[in-house]
């Protein structure tokens, strides 16, 4: 909630601060004054209310200005906060004490000696300054009007129709008393118990001539038959076998699905059969071809890059191929002596 004025004073000056708050409230100022304050360090609520208020009025006294007083910290903290705001700090002296720097150089209104029946000139100037900050005029003139001079007050209100003092609360119209007829209509009437519904007439039972077979049935069986007709019969629906079920013609959609399944199996079946045949043939012919050995094998190895298939020599398990053990000896060719220089022939 935003306030018009927040009052900051020492706890020892509670009586004078209460009087200032009442005077300002009589002029329709929204005043924030914590008369029950006991803390000496500004709380978060104190700081928020100081920031939201249009003006902060600091009341200086000997206690408030005394550095040795524990309450001086709270008063000066609020004063410093208001001084940092634009045009928010208003100061008044409750006695002859001078505040500390830098507040001793700022403007202060002297309201010492103010009491319940005495309003000093400094308070008139303070009221005009606070009113100007709120856009209000001639508040000191309203203070000078005597309490019983209603004509002067009405004239001031007419001259300042937009001022909060001129605004009068609408009186609530007295509630109309209900007339005798309305009261009688509103009075609850004793409810008479409703009469029970008349019983329905019994339908005459049609008399039928007894058959010859029914006459032969004993009386006990006739009584059981009458009880069976009165009690509802429970119908049981036992499960029926598929052969007993009536034939239902399949829908076109189900026929299409069956045809699609048949076509799929006709295609997938041969493919799976071909794959199985290939696997069987690969298992049968899993061993490699045996080499012919000798010159043919060497010849095939020599021309292996020409595209002929390379033949692998197969041997029984546990044995080593002969080609790895028997290494053919190296054969030397003709020896050529190339150390001697050729002598040129004489022409």
């Amino acid at each position: 909630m935003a306030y018009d004025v927040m009052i900051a004073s020492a706890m020892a000056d509670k009586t004078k601060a209460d009087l200032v708050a009442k005077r300002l409230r009589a002029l329709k100022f929204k005043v924030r004054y914590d008369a029950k304050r006991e803390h000496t360090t500004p709380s978060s609520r104190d700081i928020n209310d100081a920031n939201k208020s249009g003006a902060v009025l600091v009341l200086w006294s000997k206690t408030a200005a005394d550095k040795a007083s524990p309450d001086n910290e709270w008063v000066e903290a609020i004063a410093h906060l208001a001084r940092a705001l634009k045009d928010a700090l208003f100061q008044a002296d409750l006695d002859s004490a001078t505040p500390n720097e830098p507040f001793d150089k700022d403007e202060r209104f002297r309201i010492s000696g103010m009491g319940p029946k005495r309003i000093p000139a400094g308070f008139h100037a303070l009221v005009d300054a606070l009113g100007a900050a709120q856009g209000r005029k001639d508040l000191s003139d309203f203070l000078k009007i005597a309490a019983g001079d209603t004509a002067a007050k009405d004239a001031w209100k007419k001259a300042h129709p937009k001022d909060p003092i001129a605004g009068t609360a609408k009186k609530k119209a007295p509630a109309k008393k209900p007339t005798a007829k309305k009261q009688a209509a509103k009075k609850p009437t004793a409810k008479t118990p409703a009469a029970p519904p008349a019983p329905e007439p019994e339908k005459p039972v049609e008399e039928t001539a007894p058959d010859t077979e029914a006459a032969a049935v004993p009386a006990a069986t006739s009584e059981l038959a009458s009880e069976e007709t009165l009690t509802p019969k429970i119908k049981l629906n036992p499960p029926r076998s598929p052969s007993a079920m009536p034939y239902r013609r399949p829908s076109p959609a189900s026929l299409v699905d069956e045809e699609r399944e048949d076509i799929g199996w006709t295609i997938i079946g041969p493919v799976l059969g071909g794959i199985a045949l290939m696997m069987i043939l690969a298992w049968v012919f899993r061993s490699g071809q045996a080499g012919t050995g000798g010159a043919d094998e060497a010849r095939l190895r020599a021309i292996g890059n020409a595209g002929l298939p390379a033949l692998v020599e197969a041997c029984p398990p546990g044995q080593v191929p002969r080609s790895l053990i028997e290494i053919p000896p190296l054969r030397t060719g003709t020896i050529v002596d190339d150390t001697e220089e050729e002598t040129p022939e004489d022409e």
Side-chain angles (χ1 to χ4, degrees):
M1 176 181 178
Y3 297 95
D4 297 331
V5 183
M6 176 180 175
I7 297 177
S9 63
M11 289 184 285
D13 303 324
K14 179 180 179 299
T15 304
K16 295 180 180 180
D18 279 336
L19 184 58
V20 173
K22 289 179 182 178
R23 296 284 187 186
L24 294 178
R25 286 173 182 148
L27 296 174
K28 304 301 180 182
F29 282 101
K30 294 180 181 178
V31 181
R32 196 275 195 188
Y33 172 62
D34 189 3
K36 298 180 180 180
R37 179 177 66 87
E38 295 181 356
H39 54 275
T40 57
T41 303
S43 62
S44 59
R45 181 185 174 186
D46 297 334
I47 296 172
N48 291 334
D49 291 344
N51 289 325
K52 293 179 181 179
S53 300
V56 178
L57 176 59
V58 181
L59 303 179
W60 292 109
S61 64
K62 292 181 180 180
T63 306
D66 187 8
K67 285 286 187 181
S69 173
D71 212 11
N72 173 260
E73 181 183 354
W74 187 90
V75 177
E76 287 196 356
I78 299 299
H80 277 291
L81 177 61
R83 200 169 190 268
L85 301 175
K86 185 179 180 180
D87 300 331
L89 179 61
F90 291 82
Q91 301 181 105
D93 293 336
L94 297 178
D95 49 28
S96 59
T98 303
N100 302 310
E101 292 183 357
F103 307 109
D104 57 341
K105 300 176 182 178
D106 297 333
E107 181 185 7
R108 302 191 309 276
F109 299 92
R110 190 172 182 81
I111 59 174
S112 59
M114 186 174 67
K117 296 182 179 181
R118 183 177 180 274
I119 300 176
F123 189 77
H124 287 273
L126 174 62
V127 167
D128 284 337
L130 292 174
Q134 300 289 333
R136 302 170 64 182
K137 298 179 181 179
D138 303 331
L139 292 179
S140 61
D141 295 339
F142 186 82
L143 276 177
K144 295 175 183 178
I145 301 173
D149 193 353
T150 56
K153 290 182 179 180
D154 291 340
W156 189 94
K157 291 178 182 180
K158 288 180 181 180
H160 306 83
K162 295 183 180 180
D163 195 271
I165 299 175
T168 55
K170 295 182 180 180
K171 296 181 179 180
K172 294 183 180 180
K176 295 181 180 180
K177 295 182 179 180
T179 58
K181 292 182 179 180
K182 291 183 179 180
Q183 288 180 354
K186 289 182 179 180
K187 286 182 179 179
T189 56
K191 294 182 180 180
T192 56
E200 296 181 358
E202 296 182 356
K203 294 182 180 180
V205 181
E206 296 180 357
E207 295 181 358
T208 55
D211 297 335
T212 55
E213 295 180 358
V217 179
T221 56
S222 62
E223 290 179 1
L224 292 173
S226 61
E227 290 181 0
E228 290 179 358
T229 55
L230 292 176
T231 56
K233 295 182 179 180
I234 299 174
K235 296 181 179 181
L236 301 177
N237 294 323
R240 292 180 291 177
S241 61
S243 59
M245 296 291 289
Y247 173 75
R248 293 183 181 179
R249 187 177 182 179
S251 61
S254 60
L255 294 176
V256 171
D257 294 339
E258 292 178 0
E259 291 178 359
R260 289 179 179 176
E261 291 180 359
D262 296 340
I263 293 171
W265 281 111
T266 54
I267 295 173
I268 295 173
V271 173
L272 295 177
I275 294 172
L277 180 61
M278 292 173 64
M279 295 178 67
I280 293 171
L281 292 175
W283 181 79
V284 172
F285 300 100
R286 66 183 182 277
S287 60
Q289 297 179 357
T292 56
D296 295 336
E297 184 178 354
R299 183 174 56 82
L300 291 175
R301 289 180 180 177
I303 62 176
N305 294 331
L308 294 176
L311 300 178
V312 180
E313 183 180 0
C315 62
Q319 297 182 7
V320 180
R322 181 178 299 175
S323 59
L324 297 178
I325 299 174
E326 298 179 359
I327 300 175
L330 297 176
R331 296 179 181 180
T332 60
T334 57
I335 299 172
V336 179
D337 187 7
D338 56 354
T339 58
E340 296 181 357
E341 297 181 357
E342 295 182 357
T343 56
E345 296 179 359
D346 295 336
E347 294 181 357

